[in-house]
Amino acid sequence: MSEWHLSETFRSTSGEVRWGSLGEPGRDPVVLLHGTPFSSYVWRAVARALARRHQVFVWDMPGYGASEMSPGQDVSLAAQSRVFTELLEHWGLAEPLVAAHDFGGAVSLRAHLLHGARYRALALVDPVALAPWGSPFFRLVGEHSQVFEQLPPALHHALVREYVSSASSPGLHPAVLDRLVRPWLGDLGQAAFYRQIAQADQRHTDEVQDRYGEITVPTLVCWGQDDTWIPPARGRELAARIPGAGLEPIAGAGHLVQEDAPAELTAALLTFLRDPRADRDPRADRDPRAGRGPAAR
């Protein structure tokens, strides 16, 4: 698999963040947010494609990937949304284009609705946004994280490998799976894996989900149609809650759309980012009264 290295660092309120950028400086900026239990690595193919037209910013959230992992670290959704707001200021991005996956979706929504982060457009890819969320496994680990932290390393490795694998519908290349699992190994990684699950509190989406109707930036919701982590019906519900939002179903993809269908996702994002205010509401084809929501006027 091609190398992926984040060369820059930023000292955030939740620890050191590793980040990088692709594409020529000064081009229209795009920021990509990963989810859990992943890292910016899942965006590598999409990021390189977008970098032909944009300056693309990628980062590993505190407690993930190459960023700092430390005992007692706050890696909650509340903390990550604050860190994202800090990063936007550090980068000098007043109103970037944003694409966010899984927990990154919740981070981008909280940053926008609670911390005043401004976007020119927002693409949400299978985001954690509507309650209830969290699989039975996720909830079990969250309730007994201190027990799971004590698993023998080999058993922990097998558990994480199986969990990450389940995010893909067609299955992950073994080298990709190894790369996604690697940050969660060793003493620091094992503790960090269970820490981020233990701190995944649904109240952090409860605080904002009734405010999605306030979103006025152009929004696209992309959803893998074979997602077994968060059902596609949530995508339809989320798109209906955000005025003027478009919905892009992606066939043959599970929750980890960037790995399962990178070409299809890239094409959807390029089309949207090229003209975010184009009317993408599928109702408009059937109902002339649907038109564009407030986000597209």
Side-chain angles (χ1 to χ4, degrees):
M1 294 297 104
S2 55
E3 188 56 42
W4 183 255
H5 176 67
L6 303 181
S7 60
E8 305 294 330
T9 61
F10 170 70
R11 174 56 60 176
S12 79
T13 51
S14 281
E16 186 178 272
V17 170
R18 298 297 297 270
W19 67 274
S21 67
L22 301 81
E24 293 183 16
R27 286 181 173 175
D28 212 8
V30 177
V31 182
L32 304 178
L33 289 80
H34 68 82
T36 183
F38 313 113
S39 69
S40 61
Y41 177 75
V42 300
W43 281 112
R44 67 198 180 284
V46 176
R48 288 166 176 153
L50 294 179
R52 296 189 175 191
R53 297 182 180 177
H54 300 270
Q55 183 179 12
V56 181
F57 292 82
V58 293
W59 61 296
D60 287 353
M61 297 182 192
Y64 293 80
S67 289
E68 180 179 335
M69 298 177 177
S70 58
Q73 187 177 21
D74 187 354
V75 295
S76 66
L77 284 171
Q80 304 292 4
S81 58
R82 289 193 299 270
V83 170
F84 182 46
T85 307
E86 295 168 10
L87 266 175
L88 292 176
E89 182 177 357
H90 175 69
W91 291 330
L93 302 181
E95 204 169 74
L97 303 160
V98 172
H101 175 244
D102 185 76
F103 263 34
V107 170
S108 66
L109 289 165
R110 285 181 59 89
H112 179 61
L113 292 169
L114 299 181
H115 302 300
R118 297 176 61 188
Y119 314 138
R120 190 156 70 81
L122 175 62
L124 299 166
V125 183
D126 295 56
V128 172
L130 298 172
W133 49 264
S135 66
F137 166 80
F138 196 88
R139 291 193 293 271
L140 176 67
V141 171
E143 292 167 3
H144 304 283
S145 60
Q146 292 183 337
V147 175
F148 280 89
E149 284 179 23
Q150 300 174 50
L151 286 175
L155 186 55
H156 164 74
H157 187 177
L159 183 151
V160 176
R161 194 174 181 87
E162 180 63 28
Y163 180 52
V164 172
S165 296
S166 69
S168 170
S169 176
L172 296 170
H173 187 285
V176 171
L177 180 56
D178 288 344
R179 182 66 170 74
L180 293 175
V181 169
R182 187 191 311 161
W184 303 120
L185 304 181
D187 291 342
L188 279 178
Q190 181 164 341
F193 179 79
Y194 298 112
R195 182 183 306 118
Q196 51 92 17
I197 294 179
Q199 294 184 25
D201 195 324
Q202 186 176 289
R203 66 185 173 88
H204 292 134
T205 53
D206 291 343
E207 290 173 356
V208 293
Q209 74 172 35
D210 290 336
R211 297 184 57 185
Y212 296 157
E214 301 173 22
I215 296 173
T216 59
V217 299
T219 303
L220 177 68
V221 178
C222 301
W223 216 282
Q225 293 304 283
D226 296 338
D227 189 340
T228 59
W229 283 22
I230 312 177
R234 292 290 176 82
R236 294 189 291 273
E237 181 182 352
L238 179 61
R241 285 178 177 237
I242 301 175
L247 179 63
E248 185 77 29
I250 300 182
H255 185 70
L256 203 47
V257 184
Q258 302 98 316
E259 297 293 344
D260 291 357
E264 291 83 351
L265 178 59
T266 300
L269 292 176
L270 281 171
T271 300
F272 174 63
L273 297 177
R274 186 183 302 118
D275 187 9
R277 294 192 176 275
D279 191 340
R280 306 190 192 285
D281 189 337
R283 296 172 302 172
D285 294 333
R286 300 190 301 270
D287 183 355
R289 296 170 298 176
R292 300 183 180 186
R297 283 203 277 267

